[in-house]
Amino acid sequence: MSTHNHNPAAGTAVVTGASAGLGKIYADRLAKRGYDLILVARRGDRLDSVAAALRAAHGVKVSTIVADLGAAADLDRVAAALAADSSVTLLVNNAGTSTLAPVVQTSQVQLDGMNRVNADALARLSHAVLPGFVARDHGTLINIGSVLGSFAIPGSSIYSGTKAYVQLFSLGLQAELAATKVKVQLVLPAATATDIWEISGVPLSALDQATIMTPEHCVDAALAGLDMGEAITLPSVEDSGLLAAFETARAALFAGAQSGTPASRYQIKG
Ligand SMILES: NC(=O)c1ccc[n+]([C@@H]2O[C@H](COP(=O)([O-])OP(=O)(O)OC[C@H]3O[C@@H](n4cnc5c(N)ncnc54)[C@H](OP(=O)(O)O)[C@@H]3O)[C@@H](O)[C@H]2O)c1
């Protein structure tokens, strides 16, 4: 039965990768919060069924854009649509893909796919909505990174590289937008039970089952972090002091690099 949560003041939320996994849950939770939705992914049939269910359950307006965010013309089309839509108040850059294999065993198509979808499209769609957000001094950008964005293991080089891009792009944006009311949240999930694992070539069954979160828990925790005003949300990390220590070390290392002279260990003696 429809509960008609529609809240015109919330505006429109765009969710990329809304046909499955975390994006599908984000779409549901944002519809519950009263947002109208624009859902983006390649599989139009899946987007249509997600859209129909959310319209029926929540009474919100849902439109879909079928697009391959790894294809330049499609990305241009989505970016133009978002830039032109002043009702957009929230963008969840969630679409992502993964091949977990050594670089020498990764095809060029897989390499380009990860770079284009995980990094290029995320930056491009952020770039499309942010001028409007800044002009209106209102808007929220949620970028989905990964804990693998600050930790690379054999087989994750390319994926980790794309997610490192997401991290520093988002942290830089937070600094650039600090004086505005525009919010940028960086979400860093660890293993979550979605199709991306099968797609990556590493089935979920190969993981330690105790390390896997449900997508519902992941998105609900991430939205709780957003509500708390967090800049960086790590849904599965209990000890929040770990992130504080990591960011302190990152800043200390950068400050320590501003010496203008080679470190003494690199100076030739005698
Ligand atoms: N699951 C995890 O363990 C985990 C951990 C850390 C971070 N993440 C990140 O979470 C995000 C969501 O992933 P997920 O786990 O929910 O995976 P998923 O279930 O495989 O969903 C990925 C979504 O991205 C869309 N997508 C993939 N390639 C696309 C393309 N070329 N153009 C447009 N849409 C595309 C897919 O839709 P179509 O196939 O219909 O296009 C799908 O809706 C990703 O950024 C992922 O890197 C996941």
Side-chain angles (χ1 to χ4, degrees), residues 9-244:
T12 301
V14 181
V15 182
T16 67
S19 60
L22 298 176
K24 189 173 164 181
I25 310 292
Y26 263 111
D28 175 73
R29 300 309 193 253
L30 294 172
K32 271 200 184 99
R33 290 179 178 217
Y35 286 90
D36 291 324
L37 293 169
I38 298 174
L39 308 180
V40 184
R42 290 168 301 183
R43 287 171 292 179
D45 53 340
R46 286 188 176 229
L47 286 183
D48 286 345
S49 67
V50 172
L54 295 181
R55 280 184 209 111
H58 303 297
V60 296
K61 287 186 234 157
V62 188
S63 61
T64 62
I65 305 180
V66 178
D68 179 352
L69 295 175
D74 280 15
L75 182 56
D76 285 349
R77 181 165 53 86
V78 178
L82 301 195
D85 187 344
S86 61
S87 78
V88 174
T89 55
L90 194 159
L91 167 61
V92 189
N93 272 314
N94 163 81
T97 190
S98 176
T99 299
L100 294 175
V103 173
V104 295
Q105 290 164 30
T106 302
S107 71
Q108 190 191 328
V109 170
Q110 291 167 326
L111 168 68
D112 290 346
M114 280 184 274
N115 284 326
R116 288 177 184 162
V117 180
N118 301 1
D120 295 350
L122 177 137
R124 182 72 194 288
L125 297 184
S126 301
H127 183 259
V129 299
L130 283 172
F133 285 4
V134 170
R136 296 186 288 276
D137 204 17
H138 179 68
T140 301
L141 184 63
I142 300 175
N143 285 340
I144 310 298
S146 166
V147 289
L148 283 173
S150 44
F151 196 82
I153 55 175
S156 84
S157 309
I158 301 164
Y159 182 76
S160 285
T162 66
K163 292 299 184 177
Y165 182 100
V166 175
Q167 285 200 20
L168 290 183
F169 179 71
S170 303
L171 296 185
L173 277 180
Q174 287 168 356
E176 290 173 17
L177 298 168
T180 76
K181 293 202 177 82
V182 178
K183 288 183 233 155
V184 178
Q185 183 198 24
L186 171 64
V187 178
L188 304 176
T192 310
T194 71
D195 297 343
I196 202 169
W197 286 93
E198 207 64 51
I199 292 165
S200 78
V202 177
L204 273 167
S205 59
L207 306 184
D208 175 350
Q209 299 301 298
T211 65
I212 303 171
M213 189 181 286
T214 68
E216 290 83 0
H217 280 161
C218 183
V219 171
D220 287 335
L223 286 171
L226 180 73
D227 293 343
M228 291 158 63
E230 284 187 352
I232 306 175
T233 298
L234 286 136
S236 62
V237 173
E238 179 57 37
D239 180 359
S240 57
L242 292 173
L243 174 62

Side-chain angles (χ1 to χ4, degrees), residues 259-267:
S259 74
T261 45
S264 57
R265 66 187 173 282
Y266 304 126
Q267 291 173 18

